[in-house]
Amino acid sequence: MKALIIVDMQNDFLPDGSLAVENGNAIIPKINSIQAKYDLVVATQDWHPKNHKSFATQHPENKIFDQIILEGLYQTLWPEHCVQGTQGAEFSSLLNQNLIEAIFRKGMDENIDSYSGFFDNGKKKSTGLEEYLKAKKIKEIHVCGLAADFCVYYTAKDALDLGFKTSIIENATIAINPLNFNEIKINFQEKGGEIIQL
């Protein structure tokens, strides 16, 4: 049984969004076209409270993209994005959602960020995604969405660590920093993950 995880295809990560990935919407037709190939399709959704500590606005002495220590972890300070109940947090209207069976929200604890669809960054809390996939008898996972070098990578890395056969679909994801993603791909493959094109 094979599952597709669609990561964070939300308006704030798309052109004109507050934390836009350049050409982020270019991958939507590919994501739409591959969904029917899978036994199960799920999605993750960044769903931050307005006062999330990863927002630069919560740290007046700092600026966007500064690195701080938050709850003992390195934390990049982001522009406000994917705030609960806002248009920016909604999935793109161009994304076909008909086959998405479940949505796993992350980043809801104001004190810790959550890149992976499985856990927060400190691995203190699970989203329930692992249990859901295992209950559905899923053995293999393909990951797509935004952004390749953050939430897609961390979701795929955790899937691999949890024992799933895991691939990142390279032509259905886009990185914020392509050079960074090139290093990540090597690391991911060394751990047993696959980089594929569909």
Side-chain angles (χ1 to χ4, degrees):
M1 294 284 280
K2 192 187 294 184
L4 178 69
I5 301 177
I6 302 170
V7 175
D8 299 1
M9 290 305 298
Q10 296 165 258
N11 291 323
D12 272 341
F13 297 129
L14 297 169
D16 299 324
S18 64
L19 189 50
V21 179
E22 194 173 351
N23 298 321
N25 53 3
I27 59 175
I28 294 175
K30 172 56 73 176
I31 293 172
N32 288 342
S33 73
I34 63 177
Q35 290 183 43
K37 301 176 192 287
Y38 293 87
D39 302 301
L40 175 70
V41 180
V42 299
T44 68
Q45 185 178 27
D46 244 11
W47 196 249
H48 295 308
K50 178 110 178 95
N51 61 341
H52 199 273
K53 300 287 196 320
S54 72
F55 294 161
T57 50
Q58 297 296 307
H59 306 271
E61 69 283 7
N62 293 97
K63 56 188 190 299
I64 290 171
F65 304 129
D66 277 357
Q67 287 260 338
I68 64 164
I69 299 291
L70 181 63
E71 300 282 309
L73 300 169
Y74 283 105
Q75 174 66 53
T76 300
L77 294 180
W78 304 109
E80 286 191 17
H81 65 280
C82 300
V83 172
Q84 297 167 358
T86 64
Q87 177 64 22
E90 296 301 318
F91 290 121
S92 167
S93 60
L94 300 174
L95 179 69
N96 183 348
Q97 298 179 48
N98 294 347
L99 295 177
I100 297 174
E101 196 166 308
I103 295 163
F104 292 84
R105 287 177 165 168
K106 59 194 181 67
M108 296 172 71
D109 183 331
E110 68 187 61
N111 294 308
I112 192 161
D113 215 349
S114 190
Y115 298 153
S116 167
F118 289 94
F119 306 99
D120 62 63
N121 289 359
K123 290 206 163 58
K124 293 176 181 172
K125 291 181 189 163
S126 159
T127 62
L129 177 55
E130 175 192 2
E131 295 78 5
Y132 186 85
L133 294 171
K134 287 183 172 170
K136 295 279 187 180
K137 308 282 193 289
I138 296 298
K139 303 288 186 213
E140 183 173 352
I141 290 169
H142 290 179
V143 188
C144 65
L146 296 172
D149 45 342
F150 280 93
C151 297
V152 167
Y153 167 64
Y154 283 97
T155 299
K157 180 175 168 293
D158 280 348
L160 205 55
D161 290 344
L162 292 167
F164 296 100
K165 183 174 192 279
T166 309
S167 302
I168 294 172
I169 308 170
E170 191 169 19
N171 56 334
T173 187
I174 295 179
I176 293 170
N177 180 341
L179 289 177
N180 186 29
F181 185 52
N182 284 336
E183 287 179 31
I184 281 168
K185 283 192 292 188
I186 293 164
N187 178 267
F188 182 66
Q189 288 169 309
E190 284 172 351
K191 284 185 159 72
E194 292 183 24
I195 307 292
I196 61 172
Q197 305 264 348
L198 289 181

